[in-house]
Amino acid sequence: MFPITTHRLMFQRPKGTGTFAPSDILRAVLAVIDLEGLDDARCTALAESQLNDAEKTRLAGFRHDRRRKSFIHGRLAAKAALSAYFPGIDPQSIEIGSGVFDQPIIVGGGDDLQGMSVSLSHSDRFAVALVFHRAHPLGIDVDLPTITDVPAILDGIAPDVRDMIRAHDLDDHGAACLLWVARESLAKTITTGMMTPLELYAPSSIDRKGACFEVRYANFGQYRTLIWPGAQGWLGLTLPDQTEFDPASLLSSMLWG
Ligand SMILES: CC(C)(COP(=O)(O)OP(=O)(O)OC[C@H]1O[C@@H](n2cnc3c(N)ncnc32)[C@H](O)[C@@H]1OP(=O)(O)O)[C@@H](O)C(=O)NCCC(=O)NCCS
């Protein structure tokens, strides 16, 4: 079986959806591929059937196998999410291009896709994509930093942030995973990537919401990030702070199987 799951996310806002109808923008689809179940032959076959000509041309230009794979994985996840959001679309009519900050851009696919956006992430084990309306910005990250990454991630974090982490009984690896996926998913939402000083993404609070964590930011009060821990990967979803979302509608067991 193709190791991919898709999840419909429904949001609510007490007020304020700009000039858009809530039903048009307060939803998203998340696609998760478990890469362990995707062998090279299947991956190549799927790339052939799902990628469009522009993506295939780009793929041919990558010299490193790792980058070729991450490119394919991300695009397969994006197309699965788009197909779940817009049943019946032809994945090969759509290109996931890259903007000037390397941010993913949906090209083609017809009028229905106008205004739609996608956020992508790939780790060794998972590829994830989130399709949403750009009137309601979202961002996603999946990762599992290694133990050797931990000191670099935790070095220099402010004492108040250490206290917030300590309150949740997280070990250093858990703390590093949480901070990492939080700031990467925020950085993707605002398209800055990791090119700004990391202190800028400092949390102002870290709370527990059932199975997931909720991070708010000292410098980005408009956003918050929900984080689902996992033994093989942590997932961060950044959303507008005043948007309501029930984290229990997306259980870790649904995400990671
Ligand atoms: C962007 C960044 C947050 C991505 O994080 P990562 O853990 O390395 O990789 P992930 O798998 O989670 O995400 C990669 C995806 O993020 C997306 N992305 C990249 N830059 C982005 C940005 N500025 N805004 C939003 N999304 C972005 C892309 O879709 C990319 O996948 P793709 O290249 O296959 O399309 C991070 O790498 C970064 O900021 N790097 C700094 C910029 C950099 O080093 N650029 C390299 C060019 S020299």
Side-chain angles (χ1 to χ4, degrees), residues 58 67 70-72 74-75 96-98 100-105 118-123 140-143 180 183-185 187-195:
R58 225 179 133 192
R67 178 55 183 138
S70 73
F71 180 83
I72 295 171
R75 270 124 197 103
I96 307 298
S98 300
V100 295
F101 300 123
D102 284 340
Q103 77 275 31
I105 306 285
V118 64
S119 183
L120 300 185
S121 184
H122 11 66
S123 67
I140 197 106
D141 192 68
V142 65
D143 222 324
W180 184 263
R183 65 194 181 201
E184 291 239 352
S185 67
K188 287 179 189 172
T189 310
I190 57 178
T191 68
T192 50
M194 286 290 134
M195 301 301 276

Side-chain angles (χ1 to χ4, degrees), residues 42-205:
R42 190 80 205 275
C43 185
T44 304
L46 284 166
E48 185 52 39
S49 65
Q50 302 263 311
L51 268 50
N52 81 354
D53 288 346
E55 290 169 328
K56 287 178 184 169
T57 301
R58 225 179 133 192
L59 179 65
F62 293 131
R63 283 191 301 170
H64 300 290
D65 191 48
R66 191 178 168 84
R67 178 55 183 138
R68 286 173 57 79
K69 283 189 175 148
S70 73
F71 180 83
I72 295 171
H73 296 157
R75 270 124 197 103
L76 292 179
K79 295 193 181 207
L82 281 162
S83 298
Y85 201 110
F86 300 104
I89 55 155
D90 172 9
Q92 287 193 311
S93 70
I94 302 160
E95 175 195 358
I96 307 298
S98 300
V100 295
F101 300 123
D102 284 340
Q103 77 275 31
I105 306 285
I106 298 172
V107 182
D111 288 348
D112 284 354
L113 274 68
Q114 185 135 29
M116 299 306 294
S117 200
V118 64
S119 183
L120 300 185
S121 184
H122 11 66
S123 67
D124 289 343
R125 178 66 187 263
F126 298 104
V128 296
L130 184 71
V131 166
F132 56 96
H133 197 288
R134 67 170 188 253
H136 183 250
L138 302 170
I140 197 106
D141 192 68
V142 65
D143 222 324
L144 188 69
T146 64
I147 297 293
T148 47
D149 293 330
V150 169
I153 298 170
L154 296 185
D155 262 9
I157 61 168
D160 63 323
V161 177
R162 277 192 189 279
D163 289 345
M164 288 173 210
I165 290 167
R166 214 171 284 134
H168 294 288
D169 207 19
L170 283 167
D171 62 14
D172 279 358
H173 187 240
C177 291
L178 183 140
L179 291 177
W180 184 263
V181 298
R183 65 194 181 201
E184 291 239 352
S185 67
L186 172 62
K188 287 179 189 172
T189 310
I190 57 178
T191 68
T192 50
M194 286 290 134
M195 301 301 276
T196 46
L198 295 183
E199 313 84 77
L200 214 63
Y201 304 112
S204 58
S205 67

